[in-house]
């Protein structure tokens, strides 16, 4: 755990000073404060792109150009327990499992009665009044899917969610039952409708979180220097806005500043008499950030992304929950892995290869320190990545994981020999191919016969 290691590192000087110093406790605290400042000042640029395990931790606005305090706190480059998930969160993905033949419909939208329920729970809904006494809509057959939950309805109070699959109704299994029979079963039952429902990664597209990158001019409010400075801004899928002096600094140096946008006020500003200016007022603090884009289109792009980050939808995709559950398991406890074994990952900040024991499962590559380690150190969400064999430096055979856009990170892995590399490449391609962008699956979805019932 990076934070615990960082805390251990910070505690060492204090312990040494306490042993070496015979002065008062107050003097020891002063010495610790000086050491801590030296430790911060001595931190050099480190790469967040070379390793998903060694995350870049940024403290507050330590290098703020405006020399003003800002409510930022510690923020990790990889928020999901050391997992690099940015490409997954930037788009909407659906899972098609083993149905990789182009002649077959994606598993997530097909008619095949093969639900992959990951989470199951019992929901009890008290019957209300009106035409739709329970307050939800179901569609399709084998499996039957909840596609709408009315606001303030009995179904919403019971915790029913859009995307849930009906597994059982009033004690009867409905996974292989026609839509009409299941609906009649619910209607003829008691006033308290009891359903077993499950969340299925193969039927529930994730909700993309906004990401945005580009140059903007930022208004400087320093007492010494005032004006506009061109900076490279990055809006992360976590809702944090950070910036660098240059585009090339991203992934190599610490951001100059990080601002949490959740709850912030975002809007166009005309008070400065300059075109394409917009402002951001964070929820905590009285400071106002002013930004200037190069065109009206560019300003609208940033406004849309920042507004979504300011009002996020807090709902984990099922696959994120499954992944976090798997991290707590020993490597060999993850069921039906597609590939496992030793891999070396290139840490570009130090130009060294770090060895991990790796498990590949459904488009996720888990990293463990050793075969007997628990939990996982971290890993990669591989949706959309392109796998190829490349020569890199002195190595003739290296696995390159290249993202669909240059704004995301490229990773390099290497097995023990060329044959092992080929085995991993084949497995990685097949595993990544289990996921589809939502737009590629929409047409098949629209061609399905519509069966729906308002309950």
């Amino acid at each position: 755990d990076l934070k615990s290691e960082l805390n251990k590192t910070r505690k060492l000087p204090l312990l040494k000073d306490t042993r070496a110093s015979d002065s008062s406790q107050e003097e020891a605290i002063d010495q610790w404060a000086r050491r801590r400042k030296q430790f911060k000042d001595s931190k050099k640029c480190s790469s967040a792109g070379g390793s998903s395990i060694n995350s870049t931790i940024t403290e507050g606005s330590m290098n703020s150009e405006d020399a003003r305090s800002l409510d930022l706190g510690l923020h990790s480059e990889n928020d999901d327990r050391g997992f690099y998930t940015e490409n997954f969160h930037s788009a909407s993905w659906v899972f098609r499992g083993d149905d990789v033949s182009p002649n077959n419909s994606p598993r997530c939208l097909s008619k095949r009665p093969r639900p992959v329920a990951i989470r199951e729970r019992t929901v009890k809904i008290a019957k209300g009044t009106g035409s739709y006494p329970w307050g939800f809509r179901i569609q399709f057959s084998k499996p039957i899917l909840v596609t709408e939950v009315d606001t303030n309805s009995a179904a919403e109070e019971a915790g029913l969610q859009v995307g849930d699959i009906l597994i059982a109704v009033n004690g009867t299994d409905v996974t292989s039952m026609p839509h009409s029979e299941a609906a009649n079963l619910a209607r003829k039952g008691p006033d308290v409708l009891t359903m077993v429902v499950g969340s299925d990664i193969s039927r529930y597209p994730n909700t993309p979180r906004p990401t945005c990158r580009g140059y903007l001019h930022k208004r400087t409010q320093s007492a010494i220097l005032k004006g506009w400075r061109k900076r490279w801004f990055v809006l992360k899928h976590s809702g944090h806005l950070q910036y660098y002096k240059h585009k090339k600094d991203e992934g190599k140096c610490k951001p100059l500043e990080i601002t949490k946008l959740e709850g912030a006020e975002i809007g166009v500003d005309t008070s400065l008499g300059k075109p394409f200016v917009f402002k951001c007022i964070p929820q905590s603090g009285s400071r106002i950030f002013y930004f200037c884009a190069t065109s009206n289109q560019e300003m609208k792009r940033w406004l849309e992304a920042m507004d979504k980050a300011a009002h996020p939808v807090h709902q984990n995709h099922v696959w994120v929950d499954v992944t976090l559950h798997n991290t707590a398991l020993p490597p060999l406890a993850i069921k039906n892995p597609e590939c496992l074994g030793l891999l070396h990952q290139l840490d570009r900040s130090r130009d060294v290869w770090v060895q991990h024991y790796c498990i590949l499962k459904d488009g996720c590559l888990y990293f463990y320190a050793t075969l007997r380690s628990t939990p996982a150190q971290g890993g990669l969400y591989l949706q959309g990545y392109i796998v190829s064999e490349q020569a890199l430096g002195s190595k003739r055979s290296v696995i390159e994981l290249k993202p669909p856009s240059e704004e995301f990170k490229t990773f390099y892995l290497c097995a023990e020999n060329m044959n092992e590399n080929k085995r991993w490449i084949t497995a990685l391609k097949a595993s990544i191919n289990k996921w589809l962008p939502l737009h590629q699956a929409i047409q098949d979805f629209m061609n399905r016969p519509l069966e729906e019932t308002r309950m």
Side-chain angles (χ1 to χ4, degrees), residues 166-239:
L166 265 61
I167 297 172
V169 174
N170 294 330
T172 302
D173 189 313
V174 297
T175 54
S176 300
M177 187 178 292
H179 179 99
S180 57
E181 289 185 25
N184 289 333
L185 184 66
R187 288 196 183 100
K188 294 177 180 178
D191 288 345
V192 177
L193 178 62
T194 302
M195 300 189 300
V196 177
V197 298
S199 300
D200 183 356
I201 60 173
S202 72
R203 290 191 148 264
Y204 194 29
N206 64 308
T207 302
R209 305 174 189 174
T211 57
C212 202
R213 283 170 168 81
Y215 279 107
L216 290 172
H217 285 83
K218 182 182 84 69
R219 192 185 185 206
T220 305
Q221 302 176 19
S222 170
I224 302 174
L225 297 173
K226 293 186 178 180
W228 296 85
R229 292 186 180 180
K230 186 178 181 181
R231 293 291 179 255
W232 177 256
F233 280 85
V234 178
L235 175 59
K236 308 290 284 186
H237 66 75
S238 61

Side-chain angles (χ1 to χ4, degrees), residues 108-381:
C108 54
L109 304 173
S110 73
K111 304 174 185 177
R112 300 189 178 192
R114 298 193 303 164
V116 188
I118 302 300
R119 297 180 299 190
E120 292 185 8
R121 65 190 190 281
T122 300
V123 176
K124 294 185 177 182
I125 309 174
K127 188 175 183 179
T129 58
S131 303
Y132 312 113
W134 289 290
F136 66 96
R137 183 199 301 270
I138 55 175
Q139 289 183 273
F140 315 119
S141 288
K142 302 178 184 180
I144 299 167
L145 186 68
V146 177
T147 57
E148 185 179 343
V149 178
D150 297 344
T151 305
N152 299 324
S153 65
E156 185 181 61
E157 291 181 8
L160 192 66
Q161 296 179 357
V162 173
D164 283 338
I165 294 170
L166 265 61
I167 297 172
V169 174
N170 294 330
T172 302
D173 189 313
V174 297
T175 54
S176 300
M177 187 178 292
H179 179 99
S180 57
E181 289 185 25
N184 289 333
L185 184 66
R187 288 196 183 100
K188 294 177 180 178
D191 288 345
V192 177
L193 178 62
T194 302
M195 300 189 300
V196 177
V197 298
S199 300
D200 183 356
I201 60 173
S202 72
R203 290 191 148 264
Y204 194 29
N206 64 308
T207 302
R209 305 174 189 174
T211 57
C212 202
R213 283 170 168 81
Y215 279 107
L216 290 172
H217 285 83
K218 182 182 84 69
R219 192 185 185 206
T220 305
Q221 302 176 19
S222 170
I224 302 174
L225 297 173
K226 293 186 178 180
W228 296 85
R229 292 186 180 180
K230 186 178 181 181
R231 293 291 179 255
W232 177 256
F233 280 85
V234 178
L235 175 59
K236 308 290 284 186
H237 66 75
S238 61
H240 289 81
L241 181 68
Q242 57 194 46
Y243 68 88
Y244 306 83
K245 282 188 175 181
H246 308 287
K247 178 180 178 180
K248 64 181 180 180
D249 294 337
E250 184 188 350
K252 296 181 179 179
C253 298
K254 294 180 301 183
L256 297 174
E257 218 167 47
I258 303 178
T259 307
K260 185 178 181 180
L261 293 189
E262 183 173 356
E265 294 182 26
I266 313 292
V268 178
D269 182 83
T270 58
S271 64
L272 301 178
K274 188 177 176 69
F276 316 133
V277 172
F278 57 102
K279 62 184 178 182
C280 169
I281 307 174
Q283 191 173 33
S284 58
S286 57
R287 182 179 176 187
I288 303 177
F289 291 87
Y290 293 94
F291 307 104
C292 182
T294 55
S295 66
N296 189 53
Q297 182 179 0
E298 184 72 359
M299 180 181 70
K300 287 182 177 179
R301 182 173 76 96
W302 277 101
L303 281 173
E304 181 180 353
M306 291 174 69
D307 186 69
K308 288 180 180 178
H311 306 93
V313 178
H314 293 288
Q315 187 175 14
N316 258 4
H317 185 256
V318 181
W319 181 229
V320 176
D321 292 344
V322 171
T323 306
L324 295 181
H325 170 73
N326 287 346
T327 61
L329 300 176
L332 299 183
I334 297 179
K335 296 180 180 179
N336 303 319
E338 289 134 18
C339 201
L340 51 83
L342 293 175
L343 282 177
H344 295 78
Q345 182 193 12
L346 177 62
D347 182 348
R348 286 179 289 183
S349 64
R350 297 179 296 160
D351 195 26
V352 296
W353 292 85
V354 181
Q355 179 177 282
H356 306 291
Y357 190 84
C358 296
I359 300 288
L360 177 65
K361 171 71 174 174
D362 291 340
C364 183
L365 185 64
Y366 298 86
F367 291 147
Y368 292 85
T370 68
L371 177 60
R372 294 178 175 82
S373 297
T374 303
Q377 293 177 309
L380 308 175
Y381 278 29

Side-chain angles (χ1 to χ4, degrees), residues 19-34:
R19 291 194 299 267
S21 174
D22 297 326
S23 57
S24 65
Q25 183 180 5
E26 185 174 337
E27 182 180 350
I29 293 173
D30 290 339
Q31 280 190 345
W32 160 233
R34 288 195 297 272

